[in-house]
Amino acid sequence: MALSYRGLACLLSYPTPAVKETVGAISQAMREENLLPAANRKAVDALIAEIAADDLYDLQERYIDIFDRTRSLSLNLYEHVHGESRERGQAMVALLELYRSRGLELDANELPDFLPVFLEFLSILPQAEAASFLGEAVHVLEAMAARLKKRDSRYQAVFDSLVALAGVRAEAGVVAALLAEPEQDPDDLEALDKTWEESAVTFGPGEAGCPKAEALVEAMRSTPKPAIARGA
């Protein structure tokens, strides 16, 4: 089990007391696993320090402004590729079947293209295979990293780290096309309401991919299984 993927999934989860409790174990796991380049790990540690130290309600407000109110930063990967088309639904069904074929079962209210869920799936795969799957989304990850950099958000560190783990870079033109998409003002609540009225997508806070601190540390000491059921 690649704990770096699970740790990054936890950092992208809605901030809760359990997340704040877990971040110290995430930093330790990443140091011991040593999958991330040192520069990426340092940037992730800065995000971890922010989550550990800041007021919970401030963290939650920032998270909502970034990921829930800013559609161009949606954590639902296929929304960036397929929007709300029929193809997105078909792609999610295929992704769900892929998860099941590897022993990962989702809760009924979880979307398979939600990035923390996807990262939990990658954590149970051999590193080369996980990197290959991650590389298929690298254009979205790079675009999101660029948008977060523009906002001076430490969440950029997670997306830069995922690009590093993928080991490939997207074509510049593809990333530029994504960045050319208009971005809504997260404070324009009227426009936001109109957008969600036209969309069936649900952005649910939760702790997908975020194990308890003791579970994370215990997993570091145990032999990884070839596949796991969610929540095991």
Side-chain angles (χ1 to χ4, degrees), residues 105-117:
E105 291 287 344
L106 304 188
D107 294 337
N109 62 345
E110 290 180 318
L111 294 175
D113 66 337
F114 186 53
L115 183 53
V117 172

Side-chain angles (χ1 to χ4, degrees), residues 89-220:
Q90 294 170 340
M92 288 204 295
V93 169
L95 186 57
L96 186 59
E97 289 302 315
L98 175 63
Y99 291 169
R100 288 172 175 165
S101 73
R102 303 301 180 91
L104 182 64
E105 291 287 344
L106 304 188
D107 294 337
N109 62 345
E110 290 180 318
L111 294 175
D113 66 337
F114 186 53
L115 183 53
V117 172
F118 181 60
L119 295 179
E120 183 174 350
F121 167 66
L122 296 185
S123 77
I124 67 176
L125 303 179
Q127 172 56 19
E129 189 174 6
S132 178
F133 278 121
L134 196 58
E136 295 180 13
V138 72
H139 56 300
V140 174
L141 301 173
E142 287 189 29
M144 294 179 74
R147 291 189 178 110
L148 289 165
K149 181 178 181 179
K150 183 179 178 181
R151 288 168 172 75
D152 196 27
S153 170
R154 285 201 170 95
Y155 279 108
Q156 176 194 347
V158 176
F159 292 87
D160 286 339
S161 295
L162 293 175
V163 172
L165 287 171
V168 296
R169 299 302 299 263
E171 294 182 15
V174 176
V175 177
L178 284 173
L179 292 174
E181 293 292 326
E183 296 192 54
Q184 291 177 321
D185 180 357
D187 295 323
D188 187 346
L189 300 184
E190 183 178 351
L192 183 69
D193 288 342
K194 183 177 180 181
T195 297
W196 297 136
E197 285 172 3
E198 297 170 352
S199 169
V201 174
T202 299
F203 295 95
E207 297 178 45
C210 187
K212 295 286 188 180
E214 57 269 27
L216 189 61
V217 173
E218 180 60 29
M220 293 170 59

Side-chain angles (χ1 to χ4, degrees), residues 10-50:
C10 184
L11 295 177
L12 287 181
S13 300
Y14 182 75
T16 65
V19 170
K20 286 175 70 69
E21 177 187 347
T22 302
V23 290
I26 291 172
S27 180
Q28 176 188 347
M30 288 185 175
R31 284 195 301 272
E32 295 190 13
E33 196 168 55
N34 201 30
L35 281 182
L36 289 178
N40 293 104
R41 198 165 62 246
K42 181 178 179 180
V44 169
D45 278 341
L47 172 61
I48 286 173
E50 179 179 279

